[in-house]
Amino acid sequence: MTKRRFRKGGHVSWNSEAGRVSGRITRVVTSRVQFKGYTVHASEDEPQYEIKSDKTDHIAMHKGSALRKLAD
């Protein structure tokens, strides 16, 4: 299975409780970090992505498998 890789600044979308949300990647996380009280188990092989919503100031963290690339 090919793993999805994204870059900082990339425009992506993901599913949330409120429906489909879009935003820009603000950081690519490649090591374990604390985020909103949770431990994010990211690595070089399986990075996670910090994303700022287009419509709000909400910041989310997601694995590449949860994201879809959008046209810029």
Side-chain angles (χ1 to χ4, degrees), residues 2-72:
T2 303
K3 294 180 182 171
R4 296 179 188 176
R5 296 282 181 157
F6 301 94
R7 292 186 175 158
K8 184 177 177 179
H11 198 213
V12 296
S13 70
W14 66 98
N15 279 327
S16 76
E17 299 84 22
R20 201 96 191 136
V21 180
S22 63
R24 296 254 174 214
I25 295 172
T26 57
R27 179 170 65 141
V28 177
V29 179
T30 58
S31 62
R32 187 171 31 180
V33 296
Q34 292 293 315
F35 181 78
K36 295 186 177 183
Y38 294 94
T39 301
V40 175
H41 297 280
S43 67
E44 288 285 339
D45 289 335
E46 293 190 40
Q48 293 205 30
Y49 303 91
E50 183 181 271
I51 309 155
K52 182 176 180 186
S53 170
D54 287 338
K55 294 184 179 179
T56 68
D57 286 334
H58 181 76
I59 304 291
M61 184 82 67
H62 291 290
K63 294 180 179 183
S65 59
L67 303 175
R68 287 188 195 163
K69 184 176 181 193
L70 297 176
D72 289 321

